[in-house]
Amino acid sequence: MKRNFLLLAASLFIAFLLAEVILRVMGFSYPNFYRYDIHTGAALRPGAEGWWREEGEAYVRINGQGMRDDRDVAVQKPPGAYRIAVLGDSYAEALQVDVSRTFWRLLESKLSACSFAPGKRIEVLNFGVSGYATAQQLITLRERVRPYAPDLVLLAFLSGNDVRDNSKEIAGAYPRPYFLLENGRLIEDLSFREHWIFKLKSSLPWLWLQEASNYSRLIQLFNKVKNIAGQPLSAPREEGGIEEIGLDDHIYLSRPPAVWEGAWRLAESLIRAVRDEAQRQGARFLLVSLTNPGQVPPDPEQMRRHARKLGEPDLFHPERRLQALAEQEGMEAILLAESFSRHAAEHRVYLHGFANTQWGGGHWNERGHALAAELISGHLCGKR
């Protein structure tokens, strides 16, 4: 019995090693960059790194401070530095492109070139994490960003996800923090800490498994199969990402259903709260409205066709709503969608999407990041 057990254990060990060698020779990589966090529900894992090829391709490093960046950052602001803290989701995290091609890294050189902060070195700190809604970005600003003493806080708002994801009523009891809007006041809801998923993935055995996944391609393969199996089946999408899953059509409606109107009001309150918190920290605040794939196809007729289907003149209602909020609040804002739309149509280029996924869908590619950096720096350089 003992001999058979030892033979079985040895066979399994050899099979494990053989599988590891084969996966490494094949160049397989599916790193786990995330851990669960008591404040925001999830965060990036300091020190995690590896190739990301699920959409685009880039070697990704999470620095010691838990930011998607290839440089470690001192918490205490160095003398002579001007710091910009970027709050956002997967667009800011930007796993899809090399770190040197992200909009926030490009901003450093562009702002330095126009003497945005004369005599100071521009540092852009990326606090973006995939899946974050405005609620988590507000908590990040309060809990993580303050010690870095930012001079400017840039909130990257994505209407395609953030309106829905801020609403517990629409998004469901996903294990992350929410805010409720009661009589015009934001009430923090931290019940996610009691969710079984949060308890499981913040447990010590799970943390050990996450650490092991840094080194084992077999565990990474298991994670990939598990994630694929957990994805719902979806209807076919139109070419160019117009019907992309996750970009809910309700955001484009000038008269949305009551639940979506409530979600918009909550999102607007959260944006105000981020602005107020940035000002309490002594920082300038800038709202940047990002682009949804359906708003910026190379062929404008695709967008017009989708807008007609919704009974709307175009797909820029989110920008008009955010512009109204900015004017009402005296808030500095850059709305990228219409400029992106014109650029895509004029140059006949996709600003979202990659050859290994779908052109016109998903996240910004290198062209999208470059254009965002150009537009944001142009605004800031013009108003320095």
Side-chain angles (χ1 to χ4, degrees), residues 80-85 106-124 150-154 283-286 332 334 373 375-384:
Y82 185 99
R83 281 187 163 174
I84 299 174
L106 294 172
L107 267 181
E108 290 187 343
S109 57
K110 288 182 176 294
L111 293 178
S112 297
C114 77
S115 300
F116 168 69
K120 293 191 175 182
R121 185 178 70 261
I122 306 295
E123 290 185 354
V124 181
D151 298 283
L152 186 152
V153 171
L154 188 160
R284 176 179 174 182
F285 174 73
L286 176 64
E332 191 175 355
I334 307 172
L375 293 171
I376 296 169
S377 63
H379 171 91
L380 290 173
C381 290
K383 290 196 172 185
R384 61 181 182 273

mmCIF file of all heavy atoms in Angstrom, residues 80-85 106-124 150-154 283-286 332 334 373 375-384:
data_model
loop_
_atom_site.group_PDB
_atom_site.id
_atom_site.type_symbol
_atom_site.label_atom_id
_atom_site.label_comp_id
_atom_site.label_asym_id
_atom_site.label_seq_id
_atom_site.Cartn_x
_atom_site.Cartn_y
_atom_site.Cartn_z
ATOM 1 N N GLY A 80 10.434 69.154 -5.652
ATOM 2 C CA GLY A 80 10.452 69.505 -7.063
ATOM 3 C C GLY A 80 9.582 68.645 -7.945
ATOM 4 O O GLY A 80 9.662 68.748 -9.177
ATOM 5 N N ALA A 81 8.732 67.785 -7.362
ATOM 6 C CA ALA A 81 7.860 66.926 -8.166
ATOM 7 C C ALA A 81 6.446 67.490 -8.213
ATOM 8 O O ALA A 81 5.967 68.072 -7.240
ATOM 9 C CB ALA A 81 7.833 65.512 -7.592
ATOM 10 N N TYR A 82 5.793 67.345 -9.349
ATOM 11 C CA TYR A 82 4.372 67.662 -9.510
ATOM 12 C C TYR A 82 3.677 66.346 -9.798
ATOM 13 O O TYR A 82 3.941 65.697 -10.809
ATOM 14 C CB TYR A 82 4.151 68.641 -10.654
ATOM 15 C CG TYR A 82 2.706 69.098 -10.793
ATOM 16 C CD1 TYR A 82 2.300 70.320 -10.279
ATOM 17 C CD2 TYR A 82 1.759 68.300 -11.444
ATOM 18 C CE1 TYR A 82 0.979 70.751 -10.399
ATOM 19 C CE2 TYR A 82 0.442 68.717 -11.568
ATOM 20 C CZ TYR A 82 0.054 69.940 -11.040
ATOM 21 O OH TYR A 82 -1.264 70.345 -11.166
ATOM 22 N N ARG A 83 2.809 65.927 -8.882
ATOM 23 C CA ARG A 83 2.206 64.600 -8.983
ATOM 24 C C ARG A 83 0.762 64.654 -9.470
ATOM 25 O O ARG A 83 -0.051 65.421 -8.951
ATOM 26 C CB ARG A 83 2.255 63.888 -7.627
ATOM 27 C CG ARG A 83 3.616 63.297 -7.333
ATOM 28 C CD ARG A 83 3.626 62.452 -6.087
ATOM 29 N NE ARG A 83 4.814 61.596 -6.084
ATOM 30 C CZ ARG A 83 5.166 60.818 -5.057
ATOM 31 N NH1 ARG A 83 4.436 60.791 -3.950
ATOM 32 N NH2 ARG A 83 6.239 60.056 -5.158
ATOM 33 N N ILE A 84 0.478 63.783 -10.447
ATOM 34 C CA ILE A 84 -0.879 63.594 -10.949
ATOM 35 C C ILE A 84 -1.309 62.178 -10.585
ATOM 36 O O ILE A 84 -0.642 61.207 -10.981
ATOM 37 C CB ILE A 84 -0.947 63.795 -12.473
ATOM 38 C CG1 ILE A 84 -0.508 65.218 -12.837
ATOM 39 C CG2 ILE A 84 -2.348 63.505 -13.001
ATOM 40 C CD1 ILE A 84 -0.410 65.460 -14.335
ATOM 41 N N ALA A 85 -2.378 62.047 -9.838
ATOM 42 C CA ALA A 85 -2.912 60.740 -9.473
ATOM 43 C C ALA A 85 -4.066 60.404 -10.405
ATOM 44 O O ALA A 85 -5.037 61.156 -10.502
ATOM 45 C CB ALA A 85 -3.391 60.739 -8.018
ATOM 46 N N LEU A 106 2.498 58.584 -21.266
ATOM 47 C CA LEU A 106 2.724 59.581 -22.314
ATOM 48 C C LEU A 106 2.476 60.992 -21.814
ATOM 49 O O LEU A 106 3.113 61.947 -22.268
ATOM 50 C CB LEU A 106 1.831 59.286 -23.523
ATOM 51 C CG LEU A 106 2.117 57.989 -24.285
ATOM 52 C CD1 LEU A 106 1.029 57.732 -25.322
ATOM 53 C CD2 LEU A 106 3.488 58.044 -24.946
ATOM 54 N N LEU A 107 1.557 61.132 -20.858
ATOM 55 C CA LEU A 107 1.261 62.453 -20.305
ATOM 56 C C LEU A 107 2.492 63.092 -19.683
ATOM 57 O O LEU A 107 2.673 64.313 -19.748
ATOM 58 C CB LEU A 107 0.170 62.347 -19.235
ATOM 59 C CG LEU A 107 -1.280 62.557 -19.647
ATOM 60 C CD1 LEU A 107 -2.186 62.440 -18.430
ATOM 61 C CD2 LEU A 107 -1.456 63.918 -20.308
ATOM 62 N N GLU A 108 3.344 62.292 -19.056
ATOM 63 C CA GLU A 108 4.523 62.853 -18.382
ATOM 64 C C GLU A 108 5.395 63.640 -19.350
ATOM 65 O O GLU A 108 5.759 64.791 -19.085
ATOM 66 C CB GLU A 108 5.330 61.731 -17.724
ATOM 67 C CG GLU A 108 4.653 61.111 -16.528
ATOM 68 C CD GLU A 108 5.549 60.118 -15.806
ATOM 69 O OE1 GLU A 108 6.566 59.674 -16.393
ATOM 70 O OE2 GLU A 108 5.231 59.772 -14.660
ATOM 71 N N SER A 109 5.708 63.022 -20.476
ATOM 72 C CA SER A 109 6.600 63.708 -21.434
ATOM 73 C C SER A 109 5.892 64.873 -22.112
ATOM 74 O O SER A 109 6.500 65.925 -22.355
ATOM 75 C CB SER A 109 7.116 62.713 -22.475
ATOM 76 O OG SER A 109 6.039 62.091 -23.148
ATOM 77 N N LYS A 110 4.612 64.716 -22.414
ATOM 78 C CA LYS A 110 3.879 65.788 -23.091
ATOM 79 C C LYS A 110 3.729 67.010 -22.192
ATOM 80 O O LYS A 110 3.874 68.150 -22.637
ATOM 81 C CB LYS A 110 2.521 65.281 -23.561
ATOM 82 C CG LYS A 110 2.604 64.325 -24.745
ATOM 83 C CD LYS A 110 1.234 63.883 -25.210
ATOM 84 C CE LYS A 110 1.343 63.001 -26.444
ATOM 85 N NZ LYS A 110 1.866 63.734 -27.620
ATOM 86 N N LEU A 111 3.441 66.796 -20.921
ATOM 87 C CA LEU A 111 3.288 67.923 -20.003
ATOM 88 C C LEU A 111 4.638 68.573 -19.702
ATOM 89 O O LEU A 111 4.728 69.789 -19.527
ATOM 90 C CB LEU A 111 2.613 67.465 -18.711
ATOM 91 C CG LEU A 111 1.153 67.019 -18.855
ATOM 92 C CD1 LEU A 111 0.602 66.549 -17.512
ATOM 93 C CD2 LEU A 111 0.288 68.141 -19.411
ATOM 94 N N SER A 112 5.679 67.762 -19.645
ATOM 95 C CA SER A 112 7.019 68.331 -19.443
ATOM 96 C C SER A 112 7.418 69.197 -20.629
ATOM 97 O O SER A 112 8.029 70.266 -20.465
ATOM 98 C CB SER A 112 8.040 67.207 -19.245
ATOM 99 O OG SER A 112 7.757 66.468 -18.073
ATOM 100 N N ALA A 113 7.053 68.748 -21.831
ATOM 101 C CA ALA A 113 7.443 69.477 -23.048
ATOM 102 C C ALA A 113 6.769 70.842 -23.139
ATOM 103 O O ALA A 113 7.329 71.772 -23.730
ATOM 104 C CB ALA A 113 7.103 68.645 -24.280
ATOM 105 N N CYS A 114 5.577 70.983 -22.560
ATOM 106 C CA CYS A 114 4.882 72.267 -22.659
ATOM 107 C C CYS A 114 5.063 73.118 -21.410
ATOM 108 O O CYS A 114 4.375 74.127 -21.236
ATOM 109 C CB CYS A 114 3.393 72.049 -22.931
ATOM 110 S SG CYS A 114 2.426 71.554 -21.484
ATOM 111 N N SER A 115 5.980 72.689 -20.520
ATOM 112 C CA SER A 115 6.241 73.427 -19.272
ATOM 113 C C SER A 115 4.958 73.624 -18.468
ATOM 114 O O SER A 115 4.651 74.714 -17.996
ATOM 115 C CB SER A 115 6.891 74.785 -19.581
ATOM 116 O OG SER A 115 8.113 74.609 -20.249
ATOM 117 N N PHE A 116 4.211 72.531 -18.318
ATOM 118 C CA PHE A 116 2.951 72.577 -17.581
ATOM 119 C C PHE A 116 3.182 73.044 -16.138
ATOM 120 O O PHE A 116 2.433 73.857 -15.609
ATOM 121 C CB PHE A 116 2.298 71.193 -17.604
ATOM 122 C CG PHE A 116 1.159 71.032 -16.652
ATOM 123 C CD1 PHE A 116 -0.039 71.714 -16.848
ATOM 124 C CD2 PHE A 116 1.274 70.198 -15.546
ATOM 125 C CE1 PHE A 116 -1.095 71.569 -15.961
ATOM 126 C CE2 PHE A 116 0.224 70.041 -14.665
ATOM 127 C CZ PHE A 116 -0.967 70.728 -14.872
ATOM 128 N N ALA A 117 4.211 72.496 -15.516
ATOM 129 C CA ALA A 117 4.560 72.907 -14.150
ATOM 130 C C ALA A 117 6.029 73.313 -14.179
ATOM 131 O O ALA A 117 6.914 72.502 -13.874
ATOM 132 C CB ALA A 117 4.320 71.771 -13.158
ATOM 133 N N PRO A 118 6.334 74.550 -14.560
ATOM 134 C CA PRO A 118 7.715 74.985 -14.784
ATOM 135 C C PRO A 118 8.619 74.707 -13.581
ATOM 136 O O PRO A 118 8.259 74.992 -12.436
ATOM 137 C CB PRO A 118 7.561 76.494 -15.015
ATOM 138 C CG PRO A 118 6.160 76.668 -15.488
ATOM 139 C CD PRO A 118 5.360 75.630 -14.754
ATOM 140 N N GLY A 119 9.768 74.126 -13.889
ATOM 141 C CA GLY A 119 10.749 73.850 -12.846
ATOM 142 C C GLY A 119 10.472 72.604 -12.038
ATOM 143 O O GLY A 119 11.236 72.273 -11.123
ATOM 144 N N LYS A 120 9.384 71.885 -12.360
ATOM 145 C CA LYS A 120 9.045 70.678 -11.602
ATOM 146 C C LYS A 120 9.050 69.451 -12.515
ATOM 147 O O LYS A 120 8.820 69.547 -13.710
ATOM 148 C CB LYS A 120 7.676 70.826 -10.937
ATOM 149 C CG LYS A 120 7.653 71.885 -9.844
ATOM 150 C CD LYS A 120 6.369 71.810 -9.029
ATOM 151 C CE LYS A 120 6.413 72.800 -7.864
ATOM 152 N NZ LYS A 120 5.202 72.708 -7.022
ATOM 153 N N ARG A 121 9.328 68.318 -11.925
ATOM 154 C CA ARG A 121 9.308 67.045 -12.643
ATOM 155 C C ARG A 121 7.908 66.443 -12.549
ATOM 156 O O ARG A 121 7.360 66.273 -11.462
ATOM 157 C CB ARG A 121 10.329 66.083 -12.058
ATOM 158 C CG ARG A 121 10.451 64.765 -12.829
ATOM 159 C CD ARG A 121 11.508 63.869 -12.231
ATOM 160 N NE ARG A 121 11.112 63.340 -10.922
ATOM 161 C CZ ARG A 121 11.503 63.822 -9.764
ATOM 162 N NH1 ARG A 121 12.300 64.882 -9.719
ATOM 163 N NH2 ARG A 121 11.107 63.280 -8.628
ATOM 164 N N ILE A 122 7.316 66.105 -13.682
ATOM 165 C CA ILE A 122 5.964 65.558 -13.706
ATOM 166 C C ILE A 122 6.007 64.067 -13.364
ATOM 167 O O ILE A 122 6.738 63.298 -13.981
ATOM 168 C CB ILE A 122 5.304 65.736 -15.082
ATOM 169 C CG1 ILE A 122 5.349 67.206 -15.517
ATOM 170 C CG2 ILE A 122 3.862 65.214 -15.065
ATOM 171 C CD1 ILE A 122 4.547 68.131 -14.647
ATOM 172 N N GLU A 123 5.241 63.671 -12.378
ATOM 173 C CA GLU A 123 5.073 62.263 -12.030
ATOM 174 C C GLU A 123 3.591 61.911 -12.137
ATOM 175 O O GLU A 123 2.765 62.504 -11.439
ATOM 176 C CB GLU A 123 5.542 61.969 -10.598
ATOM 177 C CG GLU A 123 7.038 62.060 -10.387
ATOM 178 C CD GLU A 123 7.431 61.628 -8.979
ATOM 179 O OE1 GLU A 123 6.533 61.367 -8.148
ATOM 180 O OE2 GLU A 123 8.641 61.554 -8.706
ATOM 181 N N VAL A 124 3.251 60.961 -13.003
ATOM 182 C CA VAL A 124 1.872 60.494 -13.110
ATOM 183 C C VAL A 124 1.785 59.134 -12.435
ATOM 184 O O VAL A 124 2.464 58.186 -12.841
ATOM 185 C CB VAL A 124 1.413 60.403 -14.575
ATOM 186 C CG1 VAL A 124 -0.040 59.933 -14.638
ATOM 187 C CG2 VAL A 124 1.546 61.765 -15.260
ATOM 188 N N PRO A 150 -0.913 64.221 -4.006
ATOM 189 C CA PRO A 150 -1.065 64.622 -5.418
ATOM 190 C C PRO A 150 -1.336 66.112 -5.553
ATOM 191 O O PRO A 150 -1.976 66.730 -4.706
ATOM 192 C CB PRO A 150 -2.276 63.798 -5.871
ATOM 193 C CG PRO A 150 -3.082 63.600 -4.624
ATOM 194 C CD PRO A 150 -2.068 63.436 -3.523
ATOM 195 N N ASP A 151 -0.854 66.671 -6.647
ATOM 196 C CA ASP A 151 -1.156 68.061 -6.987
ATOM 197 C C ASP A 151 -2.393 68.147 -7.877
ATOM 198 O O ASP A 151 -3.067 69.177 -7.919
ATOM 199 C CB ASP A 151 0.035 68.697 -7.715
ATOM 200 C CG ASP A 151 1.272 68.716 -6.829
ATOM 201 O OD1 ASP A 151 1.343 69.577 -5.926
ATOM 202 O OD2 ASP A 151 2.155 67.859 -7.030
ATOM 203 N N LEU A 152 -2.658 67.064 -8.601
ATOM 204 C CA LEU A 152 -3.827 67.004 -9.472
ATOM 205 C C LEU A 152 -4.391 65.594 -9.413
ATOM 206 O O LEU A 152 -3.633 64.609 -9.475
ATOM 207 C CB LEU A 152 -3.448 67.372 -10.907
ATOM 208 C CG LEU A 152 -4.575 67.506 -11.943
ATOM 209 C CD1 LEU A 152 -4.175 68.490 -13.043
ATOM 210 C CD2 LEU A 152 -4.937 66.157 -12.598
ATOM 211 N N VAL A 153 -5.703 65.477 -9.285
ATOM 212 C CA VAL A 153 -6.383 64.181 -9.321
ATOM 213 C C VAL A 153 -7.180 64.102 -10.609
ATOM 214 O O VAL A 153 -8.045 64.945 -10.866
ATOM 215 C CB VAL A 153 -7.311 63.998 -8.101
ATOM 216 C CG1 VAL A 153 -8.174 62.753 -8.265
ATOM 217 C CG2 VAL A 153 -6.494 63.913 -6.822
ATOM 218 N N LEU A 154 -6.881 63.094 -11.427
ATOM 219 C CA LEU A 154 -7.565 62.878 -12.699
ATOM 220 C C LEU A 154 -8.497 61.680 -12.538
ATOM 221 O O LEU A 154 -8.041 60.554 -12.322
ATOM 222 C CB LEU A 154 -6.540 62.634 -13.808
ATOM 223 C CG LEU A 154 -7.022 62.563 -15.260
ATOM 224 C CD1 LEU A 154 -5.850 62.817 -16.221
ATOM 225 C CD2 LEU A 154 -7.665 61.220 -15.606
ATOM 226 N N ALA A 283 -5.602 69.254 -3.896
ATOM 227 C CA ALA A 283 -5.278 68.931 -5.284
ATOM 228 C C ALA A 283 -6.288 69.549 -6.244
ATOM 229 O O ALA A 283 -7.463 69.698 -5.925
ATOM 230 C CB ALA A 283 -5.233 67.419 -5.487
ATOM 231 N N ARG A 284 -5.829 69.872 -7.422
ATOM 232 C CA ARG A 284 -6.703 70.263 -8.526
ATOM 233 C C ARG A 284 -7.444 69.019 -9.011
ATOM 234 O O ARG A 284 -6.897 67.903 -8.997
ATOM 235 C CB ARG A 284 -5.839 70.848 -9.639
ATOM 236 C CG ARG A 284 -6.540 71.240 -10.924
ATOM 237 C CD ARG A 284 -5.500 71.815 -11.884
ATOM 238 N NE ARG A 284 -6.029 72.102 -13.204
ATOM 239 C CZ ARG A 284 -5.295 72.582 -14.224
ATOM 240 N NH1 ARG A 284 -3.987 72.821 -14.032
ATOM 241 N NH2 ARG A 284 -5.844 72.814 -15.407
ATOM 242 N N PHE A 285 -8.679 69.182 -9.453
ATOM 243 C CA PHE A 285 -9.476 68.034 -9.900
ATOM 244 C C PHE A 285 -9.782 68.163 -11.386
ATOM 245 O O PHE A 285 -10.146 69.235 -11.873
ATOM 246 C CB PHE A 285 -10.786 67.942 -9.121
ATOM 247 C CG PHE A 285 -11.712 66.861 -9.627
ATOM 248 C CD1 PHE A 285 -11.433 65.532 -9.392
ATOM 249 C CD2 PHE A 285 -12.852 67.187 -10.352
ATOM 250 C CE1 PHE A 285 -12.272 64.525 -9.870
ATOM 251 C CE2 PHE A 285 -13.700 66.200 -10.834
ATOM 252 C CZ PHE A 285 -13.409 64.862 -10.583
ATOM 253 N N LEU A 286 -9.656 67.046 -12.102
ATOM 254 C CA LEU A 286 -9.974 67.001 -13.524
ATOM 255 C C LEU A 286 -10.782 65.753 -13.823
ATOM 256 O O LEU A 286 -10.336 64.625 -13.563
ATOM 257 C CB LEU A 286 -8.689 66.999 -14.358
ATOM 258 C CG LEU A 286 -8.874 66.864 -15.878
ATOM 259 C CD1 LEU A 286 -9.632 68.060 -16.445
ATOM 260 C CD2 LEU A 286 -7.519 66.717 -16.568
ATOM 261 N N GLU A 332 -13.780 71.203 -13.739
ATOM 262 C CA GLU A 332 -12.929 71.090 -14.924
ATOM 263 C C GLU A 332 -13.115 69.708 -15.542
ATOM 264 O O GLU A 332 -13.017 68.693 -14.851
ATOM 265 C CB GLU A 332 -11.469 71.307 -14.540
ATOM 266 C CG GLU A 332 -10.532 71.463 -15.716
ATOM 267 C CD GLU A 332 -9.115 71.807 -15.279
ATOM 268 O OE1 GLU A 332 -8.883 72.025 -14.068
ATOM 269 O OE2 GLU A 332 -8.230 71.845 -16.165
ATOM 270 N N ILE A 334 -12.812 67.147 -19.345
ATOM 271 C CA ILE A 334 -12.459 66.869 -20.732
ATOM 272 C C ILE A 334 -13.327 65.696 -21.175
ATOM 273 O O ILE A 334 -13.298 64.625 -20.548
ATOM 274 C CB ILE A 334 -10.974 66.482 -20.895
ATOM 275 C CG1 ILE A 334 -10.062 67.520 -20.250
ATOM 276 C CG2 ILE A 334 -10.627 66.306 -22.367
ATOM 277 C CD1 ILE A 334 -8.613 67.089 -20.220
ATOM 278 N N ALA A 373 -3.753 60.874 -24.592
ATOM 279 C CA ALA A 373 -2.660 61.666 -24.019
ATOM 280 C C ALA A 373 -2.548 63.011 -24.702
ATOM 281 O O ALA A 373 -2.318 64.047 -24.061
ATOM 282 C CB ALA A 373 -1.350 60.892 -24.127
ATOM 283 N N LEU A 375 -4.982 64.745 -26.238
ATOM 284 C CA LEU A 375 -6.113 65.603 -25.901
ATOM 285 C C LEU A 375 -6.043 66.097 -24.461
ATOM 286 O O LEU A 375 -6.326 67.264 -24.174
ATOM 287 C CB LEU A 375 -7.419 64.839 -26.141
ATOM 288 C CG LEU A 375 -7.735 64.505 -27.600
ATOM 289 C CD1 LEU A 375 -8.938 63.572 -27.688
ATOM 290 C CD2 LEU A 375 -7.966 65.768 -28.420
ATOM 291 N N ILE A 376 -5.678 65.214 -23.537
ATOM 292 C CA ILE A 376 -5.593 65.608 -22.132
ATOM 293 C C ILE A 376 -4.467 66.607 -21.926
ATOM 294 O O ILE A 376 -4.629 67.645 -21.243
ATOM 295 C CB ILE A 376 -5.412 64.369 -21.229
ATOM 296 C CG1 ILE A 376 -6.649 63.465 -21.320
ATOM 297 C CG2 ILE A 376 -5.196 64.803 -19.776
ATOM 298 C CD1 ILE A 376 -6.449 62.110 -20.670
ATOM 299 N N SER A 377 -3.304 66.331 -22.521
ATOM 300 C CA SER A 377 -2.170 67.258 -22.363
ATOM 301 C C SER A 377 -2.476 68.585 -23.039
ATOM 302 O O SER A 377 -2.093 69.641 -22.528
ATOM 303 C CB SER A 377 -0.895 66.642 -22.926
ATOM 304 O OG SER A 377 -1.008 66.410 -24.321
ATOM 305 N N GLY A 378 -3.168 68.540 -24.175
ATOM 306 C CA GLY A 378 -3.528 69.786 -24.852
ATOM 307 C C GLY A 378 -4.400 70.650 -23.979
ATOM 308 O O GLY A 378 -4.231 71.874 -23.912
ATOM 309 N N HIS A 379 -5.356 70.033 -23.275
ATOM 310 C CA HIS A 379 -6.217 70.782 -22.357
ATOM 311 C C HIS A 379 -5.411 71.361 -21.201
ATOM 312 O O HIS A 379 -5.515 72.561 -20.891
ATOM 313 C CB HIS A 379 -7.306 69.853 -21.819
ATOM 314 C CG HIS A 379 -8.103 70.447 -20.712
ATOM 315 N ND1 HIS A 379 -9.265 71.162 -20.911
ATOM 316 C CD2 HIS A 379 -7.901 70.451 -19.352
ATOM 317 C CE1 HIS A 379 -9.741 71.581 -19.746
ATOM 318 N NE2 HIS A 379 -8.935 71.155 -18.797
ATOM 319 N N LEU A 380 -4.591 70.517 -20.579
ATOM 320 C CA LEU A 380 -3.843 70.975 -19.408
ATOM 321 C C LEU A 380 -2.790 72.019 -19.782
ATOM 322 O O LEU A 380 -2.605 73.006 -19.056
ATOM 323 C CB LEU A 380 -3.182 69.788 -18.710
ATOM 324 C CG LEU A 380 -4.143 68.835 -17.992
ATOM 325 C CD1 LEU A 380 -3.391 67.602 -17.486
ATOM 326 C CD2 LEU A 380 -4.837 69.534 -16.826
ATOM 327 N N CYS A 381 -2.126 71.827 -20.901
ATOM 328 C CA CYS A 381 -1.113 72.805 -21.310
ATOM 329 C C CYS A 381 -1.753 74.138 -21.653
ATOM 330 O O CYS A 381 -1.163 75.214 -21.438
ATOM 331 C CB CYS A 381 -0.331 72.276 -22.516
ATOM 332 S SG CYS A 381 0.749 70.880 -22.122
ATOM 333 N N GLY A 382 -2.976 74.093 -22.158
ATOM 334 C CA GLY A 382 -3.665 75.330 -22.499
ATOM 335 C C GLY A 382 -4.225 76.054 -21.303
ATOM 336 O O GLY A 382 -4.581 77.239 -21.386
ATOM 337 N N LYS A 383 -4.323 75.337 -20.137
ATOM 338 C CA LYS A 383 -4.914 75.958 -18.950
ATOM 339 C C LYS A 383 -3.961 75.937 -17.772
ATOM 340 O O LYS A 383 -4.371 75.978 -16.612
ATOM 341 C CB LYS A 383 -6.197 75.212 -18.563
ATOM 342 C CG LYS A 383 -7.327 75.436 -19.541
ATOM 343 C CD LYS A 383 -8.653 75.016 -18.936
ATOM 344 C CE LYS A 383 -9.807 75.410 -19.836
ATOM 345 N NZ LYS A 383 -11.112 75.125 -19.240
ATOM 346 N N ARG A 384 -2.679 75.895 -18.074
ATOM 347 C CA ARG A 384 -1.732 75.839 -16.954
ATOM 348 C C ARG A 384 -1.640 77.162 -16.229
ATOM 349 O O ARG A 384 -1.266 77.244 -15.102
ATOM 350 C CB ARG A 384 -0.345 75.418 -17.449
ATOM 351 C CG ARG A 384 0.297 76.352 -18.470
ATOM 352 C CD ARG A 384 1.645 75.804 -18.898
ATOM 353 N NE ARG A 384 2.304 76.703 -19.829
ATOM 354 C CZ ARG A 384 2.134 76.684 -21.147
ATOM 355 N NH1 ARG A 384 1.324 75.801 -21.671
ATOM 356 N NH2 ARG A 384 2.777 77.541 -21.932
#
